[in-house]
C-alpha cells in the first residue's frame, strides 16, 4: 500500500502524496513549528484509528505572510484560479468570489465530520457557488479534472477570511519518514529555497534592518539574508552600489536581490541611475519610504534654522529609529549640493548616537518600532510586487 503524506488545514487534507512522490511544503514553516497532529487510519475491521505523530504546523494567520513571499499575493489570485481551469470551456469565467464561497461551505474544524475527499468536494462546491459560471449540463466532478487545485491558492483565499485565521496548517509527513521512502533531512526546517539578498549603503543600515526584521516581521525573517559586514562594508557609499549594479547588469544576474538606498538626494540620484541599467525584475531597488514625521522637521543650514519636508533629501535609516530618547530635539543639517537634482543633501545630526541607542536599548519594551515596522512593510511590498519602488 505504501505511505501517505498530506498538507492539511484544520481537519481537511488539501494536498497529498505517496511514498517518495510528493510536493515539499517546507517553505511554509520555520524552526519552532515542529509539533504533533492526529493521523487517521482504518483497522482491518473497518473501524477508525487515530494516532498522534510528528508534523510541521502553524496557524493560518502566520502562514499567510509566507505565502505572500512565495508569490501568492492578493493581486495574483485571479490568475492562479484561472490556471486551475486552464482552457476548460465548461468554466468560461472563473470567479474568485465563487471560490471563496465554496471554501466557506466546508467544515474545517477538527473532529466534526467524516473524511473529506477535497479534490472532488471542492469541484462540486465551486460549481454550486453563486457566480461560478459552471454550465448546468456539466457534471461538476469533472471540471478541471486533470488539474488538482493549487493548495497554496486554497490557503491564501482562506487566509483572507478572518474566521479561519486560527486554523492549523500541518504538513503530516510521519508515515513517509518512518517508511524510509526519503531521507529524514527532507523534513528538517531550513531557510526557504528562494531568499532575498539585502544590500545596503553601510554596516549600520544592515544592522538596523536585520534586527528590525526579527522584531517586526519574524514570520518571514528567514526569507532574507544579509551580506556579512563583520570585516567591513564591501560597498561603502552609494557610488559603489551603483558600480556594483552595473556589474550585475553585465553578468546577467538572476537571483533575488533587494538594494536599499537612503531616501536622500544622493539616494534618489542613485535610484535613477540604477533603474536606467535595465536590471532583471529579480533585482529590486528602492529608497527608504517617505515618513509623515519628516514632512515638518527641524533643519539647520547656511540660511539658519527652518522647518521643512526632508523626505527625499535627508532621510536615512537613522530617521526610522526612536528619536525621542535624547535631550536635544532631532534635526537635519544640510551638507552638500547635488547639481543633477538641484537640491541639497542632508543628514541627521548625531546620527551615530541614535544608532548606539538602538543597539543598547532597542530590545526594551518601550522602544518605538512603528517607523521600522512601516519600513519593513515597504520592503516586503517591494519584494512581492505590491508597491512600486
Amino acid at each position: 500500500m505504501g505511505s501517505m503524506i498530506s498538507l492539511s488545514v484544520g481537519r481537511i487534507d488539501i494536498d497529498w502524496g505517496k511514498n517518495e512522490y510528493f510536493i515539499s511544503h517546507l517553505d511554509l514553516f520555520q524552526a519552532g513549528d515542529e509539533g504533533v497532529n492526529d493521523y487517521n487510519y482504518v483497522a482491518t475491521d473497518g473501524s477508525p484509528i487515530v494516532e498522534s505523530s510528528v508534523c510541521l504546523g502553524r496557524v493560518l494567520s502566520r502562514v499567510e505572510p509566507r505565502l505572500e513571499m512565495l508569490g501568492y499575493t492578493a493581486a495574483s489570485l485571479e490568475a492562479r484560479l484561472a490556471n486551475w481551469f486552464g482552457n476548460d470551456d465548461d468554466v468560461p469565467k472563473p470567479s474568485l468570489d465563487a471560490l471563496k464561497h465554496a471554501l466557506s461551505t466546508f467544515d474545517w474544524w477538527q473532529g466534526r465530520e467524516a473524511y473529506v475527499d477535497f479534490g472532488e468536494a471542492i469541484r462540486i462546491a465551486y460549481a454550486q457557488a453563486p457566480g461560478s459560471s459552471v454550465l448546468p449540463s456539466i457534471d461538476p466532478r469533472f471540471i478541471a479534472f486533470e488539474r488538482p487545485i493549487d493548495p497554496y491558492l486554497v490557503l491564501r483565499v482562506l487566509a483572507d477570511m478572518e474566521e479561519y485565521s486560527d486554523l492549523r496548517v500541518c504538513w503530516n509527513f510521519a508515515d513517509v519518514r518512518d517508511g524510509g521512502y526519503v531521507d529524514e533531512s527532507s523534513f528538517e526546517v531550513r531557510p526557504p529555497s528562494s531568499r532575498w539578498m539585502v544590500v545596503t549603503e553601510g554596516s549600520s543600515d544592515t544592522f538596523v534592518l536585520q534586527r528590525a526584521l526579527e522584531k517586526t516581521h519574524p514570520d518571514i525573517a528567514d526569507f532574507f539574508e544579509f551580506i556579512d559586514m563583520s570585516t567591513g562594508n564591501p560597498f561603502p557609499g552609494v557610488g559603489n552600489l551603483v558600480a556594483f549594479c552595473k556589474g550585475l547588469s553585465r553578468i546577467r544576474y538572476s537571483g533575488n536581490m533587494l538594494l536599499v538606498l537612503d531616501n536622500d538626494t544622493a539616494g534618489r540620484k542613485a535610484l535613477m541611475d540604477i533603474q536606467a541599467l535595465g536590471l532583471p525584475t529579480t533585482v529590486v531597488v528602492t529608497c527608504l519610504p517617505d515618513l509623515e514625521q519628516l514632512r515638518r522637521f527641524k533643519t539647520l543650514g547656511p540660511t539658519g534654522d527652518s522647518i521643512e519636508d526632508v523626505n527625499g533629501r535627508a532621510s536615512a535609516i537613522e530617521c526610522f529609529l526612536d528619536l525621542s530618547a535624547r535631550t536635544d530635539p532631532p534635526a537635519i543639517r544640510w551638507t552638500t549640493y547635488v547639481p543633477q537634482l538641484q537640491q541639497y543633501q542632508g543628514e541627521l545630526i548625531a546620527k551615530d548616537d541614535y544608532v548606539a541607542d538602538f543597539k543598547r536599548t532597542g530590545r526594551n519594551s518601550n522602544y518605538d518600532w512603528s517607523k521600522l515596522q512601516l519600513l519593513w512593510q515597504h520592503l516586503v511590498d517591494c519584494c512581492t510586487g505590491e508597491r512600486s519602488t
Side-chain angles (χ1 to χ4, degrees), residues 78 81 94-102 126 129-130:
E78 292 276 4
L81 176 60
S95 166
L96 191 59
D97 286 339
L99 178 60
K100 291 179 180 178
H101 183 277
Y126 179 85

Side-chain angles (χ1 to χ4, degrees), residues 266-282:
R268 288 287 175 179
K269 174 64 168 57
L271 179 64
M272 292 190 297
D273 292 342
I274 295 172
Q275 288 176 333
L277 297 174
L279 290 169
T281 55
T282 56

